Amino acid sequence: MTLNLIDIKSEYAKDKDLKQGDVELFMTWVNKQPHLPKINELQAILFLQSCYYSNEAAKTALDTYFTVKALCPEMFGNRNPLTGPMKETIHVSVMTPLPKETPDGSTIFFVKLTDTTPDKYIFVDQCRYFDMISMLHLYQKGTSKGHLIVFDMKGISFPHLAKLGPITMKKLLFYLQDALPVRLKGLHFVNIVPFMDKVLALMRPFMKKELMDVLFLHTTVDELFKYVPQDCLPQEYGGSVEAVPILHEKIKGDLRNNTALFEWEETQKVDESKRPGKPKNIGDIFGVEGTFKKLEID
């Protein structure tokens, strides 16, 4: 199986703090764990760099990453963009890393609905979509000094809120904060909706202080420019990056052209029967799902 991955040499060249000896030591530990899948050098680099080169933090993050992916197949399985739920999901929104980094070297993940029909919005499928484009970018472009998520809420209506759910939201935010190998520097909501308080009421119970500290709400796009240079954004926002429809077509093409990578990803899961000590289950990670109450919408 041929995977289109970034050249490892470029990762060492761009980051003087990344030491090959540390990467080899980390890989050796991971590949000796009976319950974990074998990893390659790029994966080791991604987790070490995202954890600021802390070997112990990287071990925890990587174990969490593969554990969550195994225990949440409804969110991380069925990753083929040509079939199943992803075939339609990629048309509902554009989720894409923007080609221009911020001056401090951070990557911008841009998110916006392109089909605002509430019935077509399936939250768990959108979570899968976000993970797929995030991991594809990391595998093909490598590490970044930071990552920003910019979510333009224009077109989101109250019926979309009813499509969200506390269980899926908890899983997404846990994964984003504890497993995804990125340095998250900002979560920006733009063109916020009148019912943003209800969205936040759903999110806040599952957010750590570190994420709350980098959560920003912007009534207008102009407010975003205080944090994200306008020039780094698509043309519709006055930036120099290609227009949103063009970006959308490109990311859909990238997903379709990398089905082999997503098939390989699905083989990389923990084997709880081989975990030293007590095997983990979904309750160990997320608590008892039955204790969640349905979101109240006034």
Side-chain angles (χ1 to χ4, degrees), residues 90-155:
I90 61 177
H91 299 292
V92 174
S93 65
V94 54
M95 295 192 189
T96 183
L98 298 181
K100 192 167 187 177
E101 294 182 338
T102 63
D104 68 353
S106 292
T107 295
I108 304 168
F109 286 136
F110 176 80
V111 182
K112 184 180 187 298
L113 290 188
T114 51
D115 186 334
T116 58
T117 307
D119 287 346
K120 294 184 179 180
Y121 186 85
I122 309 299
F123 184 42
V124 70
D125 293 342
Q126 292 292 312
C127 295
R128 181 191 299 108
Y129 181 12
F130 174 77
D131 182 55
M132 288 172 66
I133 68 103
S134 299
M135 293 311 301
L136 178 62
H137 179 76
L138 290 171
Y139 286 135
Q140 294 188 339
K141 301 297 181 181
T143 57
S144 290
K145 292 184 178 179
H147 288 82
L148 308 174
I149 301 173
V150 175
F151 190 166
D152 186 350
M153 301 187 77
K154 188 175 182 180

Side-chain angles (χ1 to χ4, degrees), residues 69-84:
K69 292 216 165 185
L71 295 178
C72 302
E74 79 286 358
M75 184 179 289
F76 298 106
N78 295 317
R79 295 168 81 79
N80 191 328
L82 303 177
T83 61

